[in-house]
Amino acid sequence: MASKLRTCFVCWNLSGFNCVNLSNGNGRIVRVSFPASCKMRHRTTLSLQHKRQQIKPSTEVGLRQNKDEEEDSEVSSNNDDSVDNTNETKDSVDNTNETEEPLVININGAELAKQLSGKQREDLLGMIRNAEKNILLLNQARVRALEDLEKILAEKDALQGEINALEARLAETDARIKAAAQEKIRVELLEQQLEKLRNELAEKGGTEARYEELRDLQNGDLRDANPLSNKGIIHSLTEELNSLRTENASMKNDLESFKTHISVVKNDDERLVALEKERSSLESALKDLESKLCSQEDVSKLSILTVECKDLSGKVENLQSLLDKATKQADQAVIVLQQNQDLRRKVDELETSLEEANIHKLSSDQLQKYSELMKQKINVLEERLQKSDEELNSYIQLYQKSVKEFQDTLDTLKEQSKRKALEEPVEDMPWEFWSQLLLLIDGWGIEKKISVDDASLLREKVWRRDRRISETYMAYKKQSEPEAISAFLGLLSSETSQGLHVIHIAAEMAPVAKVGGLGDVVSGLGKALQKKGHLVEIVLPKYDCMEYDRVCNLRALSVEIESYFDHQLYKNKIWVGSIEGLPVYFIEPQHPSKFFWRGKFYGEDDDFRRFSFFSRAALEFLLQAGKKPDIIHCHDWQTAFIAPLYWEIFVHKGLNSARICFTCHNFEYQGTAAASELDSCGLVSQNLNKSDKMQDNSARDRVNSVKGGIVFSNIVTTVSPTYAQEVRTAEGGHGLHSTLSSHSRKFVGILNGIDTDAWNPATDAFLPVQYNATDLQGKVENKQALRRKLGLSSADIRRPLVACITRLVPQKGVHLIRHAIYLTFELGGQFVLLGSSPVPHIQKEFEGIANHFQNHDHVRLILKYDESLSHAIYAASDMFIIPSIFEPCGLTQMISMRYGAIPIVRKTGGLNDSVFDVDDDTIPSQFRNGFTFVNPDEQGLNGALVRALNLFKNNPERWKQLVQKDMNIDFSWETSSAEYEDLYLKSVARAKAAKRA
């Protein structure tokens, strides 16, 4: 016996054998299988012989195969044909076997390895499996026979129902025929009476003639005769006349009675006609019954029945008996015929089943022989194992200790593997899913159904895309809310988040509430940061004029948030929904002024009050919802109030985890008002109306919200590097250049990006034909489609199309746009303008130009904004003109290049950072992508537009290369969002370092 410990694991397998894993001192594991009857205890007190009979089919097959491989191959070949049917009856066979308890035995690996070789073990297992398959097939045949018997009984019941229905219809037909016969007899009687009356009427006619003759004699002839001689004759005639009169009166009465009878007969004739029709329908019904009852064996009987039915009009008395007899015969014939057919089919099926059973029986006989051999080998094994049991018992305790240690190690590894799998983020769920889950948790927190800390921990799991929280959400999605909350709270842990929690508070968001580029930045930057693994949320006013159909799952929370304004508290209704995968909160003030129910986003006299109220309510919502953001990002003057409100009020209330980032998209709009207006939202104007805080640089009695955003924010950005330089000058800063210069260390310009998913000519659903940089034929087709839609000439397909999509305001260079329309037409091109103006005199001026070119072949002005038409214009145009006086960033030049329209721009702001002249030798050739001019006048525009048209007409190949280069430029948010991410992280790190210090 070996001196080293050997570990053994034994388990009960489906074939009735114990599997043994033997581990010797060298670490090698040997797996041994042996019969379950060895040292096993059954739950019942069956005898050993009965137990062996239960395993006889499987065990004897194994030993027989080990003894004679050729016989085994023959049996296996027979069994392989029916292997596919094994699974269907496996459950039923398993129920017939007695349940056996698992047995764990520790044996000496070396000795057992000598007793059973690997090949013998495999042969035993193979033979046992083949025997099991044969037994399963035999049971399957039995089950099929029972199923066939059930089908036969069901079909018999259905047939009986059909026969009962036929009997009912036949009885109904019999009654109708009997009634017809009675009516016919009645008609015959009436005909006889009619004939009798006709005869009487004829006799009456003769009597009346005689009566007339006698009357003539009485009145005429007898007057001339001798009164004495004719007296006796007259007396006799008078008596006869009186009697005739009496008879005549009686005949008149009979005549009246006869007329009445005649009318009755006429009615009976009509009824007789109806009965004849009914009889015809009954005959046709009998024919239908005949066709249903007919079969090859009873056609003659039903034919006789048909003949008898045709003679029923003269033999009504005998019809009932004959019909009853025919009905009984038909019923018996149908039943017998159907039963014979069913029995014949079932006999065929049973014969097939018996053939299969005979095949299985042969296999069973062979299994019986194998079982006897297997029993002998089992006895041998039992003797051998009995001897080894004595040795194994001494090692059991030592082996159990080793097994426990191994099991503990295995459990630890499994737990670590499971934990690692759960910690990996879920990548296959859309952002829409996570947004909805986040909104659900926030709703619970706001409604006080979970604590603020619990809501914060659950939010961390959501933005990490934790697998456990997603699985819990799916599992409890249809359960009651208390059950779901309980399950979610069970997931809480002390783990920390690796990403940032960023909340954007803005007045716009594309596509639901968009006026300019601000809405595109909020949605584009938000989605880009979300893809980088950060938790991004948006807070917006709930305008009445939003595109609500673009908001998914919009719903109102059951609680309302109170916020301070004008020395009192006002309630705010909170709505939640998701927009393109981003979670969004909409604040609806319950203020009597109905701040955001005006039918438009901006342009109200009380805009300062509207958005200062919103800013205060948004921060109140974050506080009461228990949110702990790392970054609060506010945009433009409408939400610049956030920065001073946060540091002056809400930090002291407990909302103190965030750094404030303020982005000004256009410094022309600064949100100024009388200093006293600031008091409404809770800020103290006396403290803030100072030169180093919110006091407007141009008027000491006014406050400037943009200046407040610059002063009180930790990060200040604008939308392009060039614009950041321009606004530090007196001309570009609109009075804030000195403030920006004093805060220059935290001020930076980051070029915006565009949503390359929404603006993609290869997938754009608004286009008649999609296309890409390698296949520009689609752009040509879109150009022709736009010409047809707008009524422009398509005679010259090579005629260049120049386009402009913009708001018609002075900033956009409206005088240069007007000049470009006429210049393009003069140079042989076509021009399309899409846009409108909020300035009345500008709108009126361009309406006049539109009317002038209303039916022109080469110029069209559409003075409104149309989303689908804008996509079509980008795709159809060859050149895109943007002659802005100043342009903080601009997105149209990026979109036009994405669609293969070469931009013609003035070098200012973001245009200078994104468009580089093709003829500028100081720029590397790979970056040259358009045409630029410096001076905002007609001469500057002329030079750029002429150069562009000349290149288009004179060098088509170079133009095509330029188009393809522009379409391949990456203007996505990837680079820009990385710059914002870096700013966020540095600011958060500085804050943490300051706290530690």
Side-chain angles (χ1 to χ4, degrees):
M1 182 177 299
S3 59
K4 296 183 179 180
L5 295 180
R6 293 171 174 81
T7 303
C8 172
F9 304 99
V10 183
C11 62
W12 180 251
N13 65 11
L14 295 176
S15 299
F17 273 74
N18 288 329
C19 299
V20 184
N21 292 332
L22 299 178
S23 176
N24 56 25
N26 298 327
R28 183 178 181 183
I29 296 176
V30 181
R31 185 176 180 85
V32 180
S33 299
F34 54 89
S37 61
C38 303
K39 300 298 293 176
M40 67 180 177
R41 295 180 176 86
H42 293 278
R43 294 179 180 175
T44 61
T45 58
L46 297 177
S47 64
L48 178 62
Q49 181 178 1
H50 182 64
K51 291 185 237 178
R52 289 176 179 173
Q53 288 177 354
Q54 289 182 341
I55 63 173
K56 185 186 301 180
S58 60
T59 54
E60 293 193 1
V61 172
L63 292 179
R64 175 60 179 167
Q65 183 177 10
N66 187 35
K67 183 177 180 181
D68 190 349
E69 295 181 356
E70 294 181 358
E71 294 181 6
D72 175 68
S73 63
E74 293 177 0
V75 175
S76 299
S77 63
N78 291 333
N79 292 336
D80 290 341
D81 295 335
S82 58
V83 168
D84 294 337
N85 298 324
T86 304
N87 293 332
E88 298 179 6
T89 59
K90 187 172 182 179
D91 294 336
S92 63
V93 174
D94 289 343
N95 293 331
T96 64
N97 293 332
E98 181 180 348
T99 304
E100 301 193 346
E101 301 212 356
L103 178 64
V104 178
I105 302 177
N106 299 306
I107 62 174
N108 187 291
E111 291 189 6
L112 189 57
K114 293 178 182 179
Q115 293 172 8
L116 289 175
S117 65
K119 182 175 181 182
Q120 290 176 340
R121 182 174 66 254
E122 294 175 357
D123 292 343
L124 287 175
L125 293 174
M127 289 183 177
I128 289 169
R129 293 190 183 98
N130 290 331
E132 287 178 344
K133 294 175 182 177
N134 290 330
I135 292 172
L136 293 175
L137 290 173
L138 185 58
N139 288 331
Q140 179 184 6
R142 295 172 182 170
V143 172
R144 286 180 176 175
L146 291 175
E147 292 176 351
D148 293 340
L149 182 58
E150 292 177 356
K151 291 180 180 179
I152 291 171
L153 294 175
E155 292 174 356
K156 181 178 180 182
D157 293 339
L159 181 61
Q160 185 62 41
E162 294 179 1
I163 291 172
N164 293 337
L166 289 173
E167 288 178 349
R169 293 186 64 183
L170 195 57
E172 182 181 354
T173 303
D174 178 29
R176 290 182 178 180
I177 292 173
K178 185 174 182 181
Q182 292 176 354
E183 288 295 333
K184 187 170 183 179
I185 292 171
R186 185 166 174 269
V187 169
E188 290 177 352
L189 293 175
L190 291 174
E191 288 177 350
Q192 293 175 1
Q193 291 179 2
L194 180 62
E195 185 65 27
K196 182 177 179 181
L197 289 172
R198 287 174 178 171
N199 295 334
E200 291 177 356
L201 186 62
E203 291 176 358
K204 180 180 177 182
T207 304
E208 288 179 350
R210 184 179 177 188
Y211 170 72
E212 290 292 336
E213 181 181 354
L214 289 174
R215 190 175 61 181
D216 293 337
L217 289 174
Q218 183 181 7
N219 295 331
D221 296 339
L222 291 180
R223 290 176 184 175
D224 298 332
N226 187 354
L228 295 175
S229 61
N230 294 328
K231 184 176 181 180
I233 296 172
I234 289 171
H235 179 75
S236 63
L237 288 175
T238 300
E239 291 179 355
E240 185 177 357
L241 180 62
N242 291 334
S243 65
L244 286 175
R245 287 176 177 174
T246 303
E247 185 179 356
N248 188 29
S250 176
M251 290 296 293
K252 286 181 179 181
N253 294 332
D254 291 340
L255 183 61
E256 293 296 330
S257 174
F258 175 74
K259 288 180 179 180
T260 304
H261 205 161
I262 286 297
S263 63
V264 173
V265 170
K266 288 181 180 180
N267 294 332
D268 289 341
D269 287 339
E270 293 176 355
R271 188 175 180 184
L272 183 61
V273 172
L275 288 173
E276 287 294 335
K277 291 181 180 179
E278 185 176 1
R279 185 175 65 82
S280 300
S281 64
L282 289 172
E283 288 178 354
S284 62
L286 284 173
K287 290 181 181 179
D288 293 339
L289 288 172
E290 177 186 352
S291 62
K292 293 182 179 179
L293 294 173
C294 277
S295 64
Q296 294 180 356
E297 297 181 9
D298 58 358
V299 170
S300 60
K301 296 179 182 179
L302 292 177
S303 299
I304 295 172
L305 182 59
T306 302
V307 173
E308 291 175 355
C309 290
K310 291 181 179 179
D311 296 337
L312 282 176
S313 58
K315 301 177 180 180
V316 176
E317 293 83 359
N318 298 327
L319 177 63
Q320 184 63 43
S321 60
L322 293 175
L323 187 58
D324 291 341
K325 183 185 294 185
T327 301
K328 292 179 181 179
Q329 291 176 352
D331 292 342
Q332 293 175 357
V334 170
I335 293 171
V336 172
L337 178 61
Q338 189 65 36
Q339 290 178 348
N340 289 340
Q341 292 176 350
D342 293 341
L343 289 174
R344 187 179 297 108
R345 185 175 65 258
K346 302 307 178 184
V347 167
D348 293 339
E349 293 178 356
L350 289 173
E351 288 178 353
T352 304
S353 301
L354 287 174
E355 291 177 359
E356 295 178 357
N358 291 333
I359 295 173
H360 297 321
K361 184 177 180 182
L362 294 175
S363 300
S364 179
D365 294 339
Q366 293 177 352
L367 290 175
Q368 187 67 25
K369 296 178 181 179
Y370 291 153
S371 298
E372 294 176 359
L373 294 175
M374 182 63 71
K375 188 187 298 182
Q376 297 174 2
K377 291 192 176 184
I378 288 174
N379 293 333
V380 174
L381 288 174
E382 285 180 348
E383 294 175 359
R384 293 178 180 177
L385 290 174
Q386 185 66 32
K387 295 178 182 179
S388 64
D389 283 345
E390 298 176 358
E391 298 177 357
L392 292 173
N393 289 333
S394 61
Y395 292 98
I396 288 177
Q397 294 182 352
L398 295 175
Y399 286 157
Q400 287 179 345
K401 183 178 180 181
S402 300
V403 168
K404 186 176 183 303
E405 293 176 354
F406 176 81
Q407 191 64 40
D408 292 342
T409 304
L410 183 62
D411 292 340
T412 302
L413 292 174
K414 287 181 177 179
E415 186 65 26
Q416 291 177 352
S417 176
K418 183 178 180 180
R419 189 181 300 109
K420 183 178 180 181
L422 291 174
E423 289 175 354
E424 294 179 354
V426 179
E427 302 291 347
D428 56 351
M429 300 299 290
W431 286 109
E432 188 73 28
F433 170 83
W434 298 109
S435 297
Q436 292 299 323
L437 182 53
L438 183 66
L439 294 173
L440 176 67
I441 293 170
D442 284 340
W444 290 343
I446 295 170
E447 295 166 353
K448 307 302 181 184
K449 296 177 180 177
I450 59 177
S451 68
V452 172
D453 294 335
D454 290 342
S456 178
L457 292 173
L458 289 173
R459 278 196 293 269
E460 290 180 3
K461 288 182 174 294
V462 171
W463 90 62
R464 289 202 314 271
R465 291 175 289 167
D466 188 280
R467 185 176 300 276
R468 287 169 293 186
I469 199 167
S470 67
E471 291 175 352
T472 303
Y473 176 66
M474 297 303 294
Y476 286 86
K477 191 174 183 180
K478 295 183 179 180
Q479 301 296 326
S480 64
E481 189 175 58
E483 293 177 348
I485 291 174
S486 177
F488 272 71
L489 293 178
L491 299 174
L492 295 180
S493 65
S494 59
E495 300 174 0
T496 58
S497 170
Q498 297 179 353
L500 294 173
H501 184 185
V502 181
I503 297 179
H504 288 269
I505 302 177
E508 297 181 33
M509 181 183 181
V512 297
K514 176 183 174 182
V515 175
L518 167 60
D520 294 306
V521 172
V522 172
S523 57
L525 177 59
K527 288 189 288 185
L529 290 171
Q530 188 182 62
K531 290 179 182 178
K532 290 180 178 292
H534 303 293
L535 173 60
V536 181
E537 298 174 298
I538 315 294
V539 181
L540 296 175
K542 187 175 184 294
Y543 299 103
D544 60 344
C545 52
M546 287 196 310
E547 295 186 29
Y548 285 99
D549 58 337
R550 307 292 289 271
V551 183
C552 297
N553 301 314
L554 180 65
R555 63 185 178 89
L557 299 182
S558 59
V559 296
E560 294 180 332
I561 302 296
E562 289 186 339
S563 63
Y564 174 88
F565 199 75
D566 284 340
H567 307 290
Q568 58 180 308
L569 295 177
Y570 290 95
K571 292 183 178 181
N572 297 274
K573 194 171 185 179
I574 307 299
W575 296 72
V576 297
S578 62
I579 300 173
E580 297 182 348
L582 289 170
V584 183
Y585 304 90
F586 302 93
I587 296 179
E588 181 182 2
Q590 305 298 299
H591 192 278
S593 297
K594 297 188 178 299
F595 285 142
F596 301 107
W597 290 81
R598 309 287 184 84
K600 58 182 178 179
F601 302 110
Y602 310 134
E604 295 291 294
D605 293 336
D606 60 346
D607 277 355
F608 191 93
R609 286 173 53 80
R610 293 170 68 213
F611 289 102
S612 61
F613 180 99
F614 166 70
S615 297
R616 175 73 187 246
L619 289 175
E620 197 69 53
F621 162 69
L622 299 186
L623 175 65
Q624 296 187 33
K627 293 184 178 294
K628 300 291 184 182
D630 298 299
I631 298 291
I632 296 177
H633 196 149
C634 48
H635 300 264
D636 276 350
W637 76 264
Q638 290 88 354
T639 56
F641 302 98
I642 293 292
L645 282 168
Y646 178 82
W647 292 111
E648 291 290 310
I649 298 175
F650 283 89
V651 163
H652 307 294
K653 288 188 173 185
L655 182 63
N656 54 11
S657 63
R659 306 294 281 176
I660 305 298
C661 178
F662 171 62
T663 298
C664 184
H665 299 257
N666 192 333
F667 280 91
E668 184 179 15
Y669 307 100
Q670 298 182 7
T672 62
S676 58
E677 293 286 340
L678 202 59
D679 295 324
S680 296
C681 65
L683 292 172
V684 181
S685 60
Q686 293 181 352
N687 297 335
L688 297 179
N689 188 23
K690 298 179 180 179
S691 60
D692 60 341
K693 292 185 179 178
M694 294 187 67
Q695 186 180 73
D696 186 62
N697 293 341
S698 302
R700 292 186 177 183
D701 59 342
R702 298 179 68 82
V703 290
N704 186 317
S705 65
V706 170
K707 183 178 179 180
I710 296 171
V711 172
F712 284 94
S713 295
N714 304 105
I715 306 169
V716 180
T717 70
T718 191
V719 290
S720 70
T722 298
Y723 188 59
Q725 297 298 323
E726 292 174 349
V727 294
R728 292 181 188 179
T729 66
E731 181 183 0
H734 299 279
L736 289 175
H737 56 284
S738 60
T739 304
L740 290 170
S741 297
S742 61
H743 293 276
S744 60
R745 294 185 61 182
K746 63 181 180 183
F747 180 50
V748 64
I750 299 176
L751 187 68
N752 288 339
I754 61 172
D755 188 343
T756 53
D757 293 329
W759 297 103
N760 185 359
T763 59
D764 196 331
F766 289 112
L767 303 185
V769 181
Q770 285 77 35
Y771 63 98
N772 53 46
T774 59
D775 181 14
L776 295 176
Q777 181 59 34
K779 186 169 180 63
V780 176
E781 296 179 18
N782 280 291
K783 185 176 180 179
Q784 292 296 93
L786 181 67
R787 284 171 167 169
R788 290 192 296 270
K789 183 175 183 178
L790 299 181
L792 297 175
S793 172
S794 302
D796 183 5
I797 193 172
R798 280 289 300 164
R799 183 184 290 269
L801 178 61
V802 182
C804 180
I805 300 177
T806 185
R807 287 185 302 120
L808 296 172
V809 293
Q811 169 199 339
K812 300 298 182 179
V814 290
H815 65 292
L816 297 178
I817 295 173
R818 180 179 61 247
H819 175 70
I821 295 172
Y822 292 97
L823 180 60
T824 301
F825 170 61
E826 292 173 1
L827 295 176
Q830 292 179 320
F831 196 96
V832 174
L833 170 67
L834 176 65
S836 61
S837 177
V839 183
H841 75 272
I842 296 177
Q843 180 73 13
K844 185 175 181 179
E845 178 185 3
F846 276 86
E847 287 176 354
I849 299 173
N851 293 332
H852 176 71
F853 290 106
Q854 185 174 2
N855 297 316
H856 202 277
D857 290 338
H858 303 301
V859 179
R860 194 70 72 241
L861 278 67
I862 303 96
L863 300 181
K864 64 178 182 178
Y865 183 74
D866 187 318
E867 178 72 16
S868 61
L869 184 57
S870 69
H871 286 250
I873 292 174
Y874 280 120
S877 58
D878 299 301
M879 302 162 212
F880 213 87
I881 187 167
I882 312 170
S884 300
I885 304 303
F886 71 93
E887 189 65 65
C889 176
L891 300 179
T892 54
Q893 77 277 12
M894 302 179 191
I895 299 173
S896 67
M897 286 188 277
R898 177 82 166 156
Y899 282 72
I902 306 303
I904 303 171
V905 306
R906 178 176 175 265
K907 291 174 65 66
T908 181
L911 300 175
N912 185 57
D913 295 323
S914 55
V915 180
F916 307 99
D917 200 288
V918 296
D919 297 324
D920 189 349
D921 294 335
T922 63
I923 302 295
S925 59
Q926 64 268 26
F927 298 118
R928 303 177 196 172
N929 55 5
F931 297 87
T932 66
F933 60 98
V934 178
N935 297 324
D937 52 28
E938 295 180 359
Q939 185 177 358
L941 176 62
N942 290 348
L945 184 56
V946 169
R947 287 189 293 118
L949 292 172
N950 287 337
L951 181 62
F952 178 86
K953 295 177 180 179
N954 301 329
N955 198 338
E957 185 60 31
R958 186 185 172 193
W959 185 269
K960 180 180 178 181
Q961 294 173 359
L962 180 60
V963 169
Q964 292 175 327
K965 180 200 293 186
D966 284 7
M967 292 183 69
N968 289 321
I969 297 175
D970 182 13
F971 286 111
S972 70
W973 272 100
E974 180 65 27
T975 302
S976 302
S977 63
E979 294 185 48
Y980 274 104
E981 181 184 38
D982 184 59
L983 287 176
Y984 294 161
L985 291 171
K986 288 180 179 178
S987 182
V988 171
R990 285 194 296 268
K992 291 181 179 178
K995 288 182 180 180
R996 288 194 297 268

